[in-house]
Structures are given as C-alpha cells and as structure tokens.
Amino acid sequence: MPANKNALIRYKTIDNCLRNRYRRWTLDDLVDACCEALYDMEGITKGVSVRTVQSDIQIMRSDKLGYNAPIEVYDHKYYRYSDADYSITNMPLTQNDYDLMQEAVDMLRQLEGFDQFTEMADMVSRLQDNLAISRTGRKAIIHFDSVPNLKGLSLLNPLYNYIVKRQTLCIHYKTFKADTQQEFIVSPYLLKEFRNRWFLFCDNAANHKLYNLALDRIIDVKPADITFQDNPDFDTDNFFDDIIGVSKNIGDTPKTIRFRSNSEQTNYIITKPLHKSQRIITKGDDGSCIFEIDVVVNFELFSVLMSYGSGIEVLSPQDVREEISNRFKIAASIYETLL
C-alpha cells in the first residue's frame, strides 16, 4: 500500500509520540500532535480527524507497510508501544525498498556529468554507501561532517515549504547576546548552509532590509497575514559569489585581500582555496606563497584567516591586517599567565 506524504508525516508523528514514555497519550493527544505536525511542516490548517488517526494506528499495527508496530492500549484509554525500544524508523530496508533506492541512486549517478548536478556528487556517494551498509552490514567507507541533533534542523522542511508557497512569516528570534526574544514579520527567500549551521535569508517587513536568521536561534515560526514582498536587490544566484560564509548586506562591495602563506600551509591553500576568486601572485623559493582573494570583509573572513594561525600573514588592506593583529594580541594575552 503506497503512503502519501501527509500519511507518512502522521505515522512518524505517532511514532515519536509513542516512543515518549514519559507522557500518557490519549487518542485526542495523538490527533492534536498530527494536526500540529502537518501545520508546521506543510501549512495544512484543516486538521486531522479521529477516524484518520485510528486508521493510521491500524495500518501501523498491520503488515501493509511492513511496520507491525506493537501498539497497545492500556488503562482503557492510553496508547504506547509494548516494546519500549520499537520505532518504525528502526526497520531494516526490504529488498524492494533497496531495489527502488538503488534505481534512484543509479539514475542520479548518470546526471553527475552535467554541470547542474556537480554539487550532488557527495550526496549520491553518501546514499550509495548507506545502501550498502543497510544491505551487507559492513562498516561505512565514506564519512561526511555532520552534527547530529543540530538545533533548528526540524525547521528546514516547513521553512522550505513556506518559501515555495511565498508565505509571509511571523518569527520569534533570540540572538546569543539578547536577553529577550524579538518578533519579526518577514518574507522568506532562501535557506543557506555554512559549516553545519543553517540560515534563513528574508526581508524584514518593518524596514525592508535583508536579514539572515540562524535556524538554531529561531524560537517559533507561524504564518502571517501580510502580503509577501519581493526584494529585487537580492539575487539568490549571485549574492554569495563574493563572500565567505553568510554575512553580507546588500550593497557591500568586495575588497582584495592579499595574504602570505608559509611553506607548511601553501599546498593546503592551493588545493583547497579560501574562496573561488583565489589566485597566486608570487611563489617564494622557501615554499611560501602570496595569494589574493576578492571578498566582502565579514566575520567569517576573519574566522577563516585566523584559523590558520601563524601559517598566514595578511598583507593588505591595512585595516584588515590591523584587525587580525589586534585579535591575535587579545588571544595571546589570555595565555600570558600560565596556569
């Protein structure tokens, strides 16, 4: 029996509820949880009926989808898994599941030669490796950086759908420095990942300025009854061409950053450029090298440059060189007194 997207959301929601044994779940509680999940993830406001959730429970209990979920009723009104360790997400792939996913991976591999799909290579490799692990039980041979249970990841799917639907949002947001949360009414445009953190680029209705909001600082997201506003100055295809990271205001212009690497860092920087504009100016006989990049000066630029420690010296512009110098002086002063 094929399951549509909304049904799968309900199954997963019911599964999450029944795995939480610190709460007693009535049928009405499960209905409310499903309604909330569909609203958050798909923007569906019409709700879910009791009969629908009852049918979902019967399907999960059955072999129709291969779940055979051990759902039981206790005290005549509460639902739980009789097996505390059970979850529908722990089920192994069937041969049919594996064959279908392998077909998808094979199709994606055929697209890797096209320029539009070059960024998919790591994702396809990860899928291929996970399929092999599921089928043979061998250890992984491909590993990607990831942060499990990263705060804010649950917002990715609902925010994506809001962007597609051009839905204005009311967002409650609290920065790391603030004591209280702020409320923004925004038109969402783009989701951007940088170093395992996700950001929402949006237009603030109050001042029509472009904001980037870290998903892990978003407290709450709800649709707002305000007309969606486009920002013609925000070119999603080219906005990030001249920056490292995500920090940039519309109208910011790049500067040419010239820096020298020592012999230990030169080959690393050549093989993994700091930015796509990176170019070699001169190579020294001692293995050092002078590079230039054209980027907007932002927080992430300083973070990347300083991550190389003494392996990089910023030569120009002078204000960037001085800022790097001051930051290193402050850092060095922390260690002047030995513990």
Side-chain angles (χ1 to χ4, degrees):
M1 170 186 287
N4 62 35
K5 184 178 181 181
N6 292 344
L8 291 175
I9 292 173
R10 297 197 305 271
Y11 301 153
K12 185 176 181 181
T13 301
I14 294 171
D15 178 68
N16 288 335
C17 292
L18 299 185
R19 290 170 61 195
N20 179 6
R21 302 179 74 87
Y22 296 99
R23 175 174 172 179
R24 291 154 68 91
W25 297 94
T26 65
L27 184 61
D28 288 337
D29 292 333
L30 296 177
V31 170
D32 291 341
C34 289
C35 290
E36 184 175 346
L38 286 170
Y39 177 76
D40 289 342
M41 300 183 71
E42 297 295 319
I44 296 175
T45 57
K46 63 181 181 180
V48 178
S49 68
V50 171
R51 179 174 295 182
T52 296
V53 174
Q54 287 176 321
S55 176
D56 291 340
I57 291 173
Q58 292 305 316
I59 291 173
M60 292 173 67
R61 281 172 169 162
S62 73
D63 192 36
K64 290 181 178 179
L65 296 176
Y67 292 155
N68 294 305
I71 301 174
E72 66 176 7
V73 179
Y74 66 104
D75 293 346
H76 306 292
K77 62 184 295 187
Y78 300 110
Y79 289 78
R80 69 184 177 191
Y81 285 139
S82 59
D83 179 359
D85 296 325
Y86 178 84
S87 171
I88 62 175
T89 61
N90 293 336
M91 293 177 55
L93 289 175
T94 65
Q95 184 60 45
N96 184 58
D97 293 334
Y98 178 86
D99 291 341
L100 289 174
M101 294 182 71
Q102 187 61 55
E103 285 184 21
V105 169
D106 291 341
M107 181 185 69
L108 291 172
R109 286 222 177 269
Q110 295 179 34
L111 299 174
E112 288 181 2
F114 293 90
D115 291 342
Q116 301 94 317
F117 297 95
T118 53
E119 296 182 359
M120 293 173 55
D122 62 342
M123 180 189 71
V124 175
S125 296
R126 189 189 309 215
L127 284 171
Q128 182 70 66
D129 198 41
N130 285 338
L131 281 175
I133 292 170
S134 299
R135 189 174 193 181
T136 66
R138 67 160 170 79
K139 293 183 178 180
I141 57 176
I142 298 177
H143 186 270
F144 294 86
D145 283 342
S146 63
V147 181
N149 302 318
L150 188 66
K151 187 178 179 182
L153 288 184
S154 60
L155 294 173
L156 280 176
N157 193 61
L159 286 174
Y160 174 88
N161 289 319
Y162 287 136
I163 293 172
V164 171
K165 296 174 182 177
R166 294 169 59 83
Q167 171 66 59
T168 306
L169 302 174
C170 175
I171 294 179
H172 290 97
Y173 190 81
K174 184 180 179 181
T175 67
F176 288 118
K177 297 179 180 179
D179 294 327
T180 59
Q181 59 182 262
Q182 297 174 276
E183 180 180 281
F184 297 118
I185 305 298
V186 302
S187 297
Y189 299 141
L190 179 75
L191 289 164
K192 169 72 173 176
E193 185 268 343
F194 179 68
R195 289 187 172 179
N196 289 316
R197 294 188 74 197
W198 283 89
F199 300 83
L200 173 69
F201 281 77
C202 52
D203 182 87
N204 187 349
N207 54 24
H208 295 294
K209 290 185 178 180
L210 185 70
Y211 279 32
N212 74 72
L213 304 178
L215 266 60
D216 58 357
R217 307 311 304 154
I218 293 178
I219 307 299
D220 185 49
V221 178
K222 298 293 183 185
D225 189 20
I226 295 179
T227 303
F228 188 95
Q229 297 290 328
D230 287 305
N231 188 328
D233 296 323
F234 181 48
D235 180 2
T236 57
D237 290 332
N238 301 300
F239 183 81
F240 302 97
D241 288 351
D242 55 8
I243 64 172
I244 294 174
V246 296
S247 303
K248 177 185 175 183
N249 296 314
I250 292 177
D252 284 350
T253 57
K255 291 185 177 181
T256 298
I257 312 297
R258 176 172 287 200
F259 60 93
R260 178 190 293 112
S261 65
N262 63 20
S263 58
E264 293 181 0
Q265 297 294 340
T266 292
N267 288 331
Y268 289 103
I269 295 173
I270 290 176
T271 55
K272 188 181 180 183
L274 274 62
H275 186 259
K276 64 181 181 180
S277 65
Q278 179 175 299
R279 54 193 176 273
I280 296 174
I281 304 304
T282 59
K283 287 186 177 182
D285 295 336
D286 59 353
S288 65
C289 194
I290 294 178
F291 299 91
E292 283 185 349
I293 55 175
D294 299 318
V295 294
V296 169
V297 176
N298 61 9
F299 170 82
E300 294 92 325
L301 171 65
F302 289 115
S303 177
V304 169
L305 290 173
M306 293 182 68
S307 70
Y308 286 89
S310 60
I312 277 183
E313 176 191 2
V314 175
L315 302 176
S316 64
Q318 186 62 27
D319 59 340
V320 174
R321 178 180 172 87
E322 290 176 359
E323 178 65 23
I324 293 284
S325 174
N326 290 334
R327 293 191 183 199
F328 274 126
K329 287 176 182 177
I330 293 173
S333 68
I334 297 174
Y335 293 93
E336 286 180 354
T337 302
L338 297 179
L339 296 178

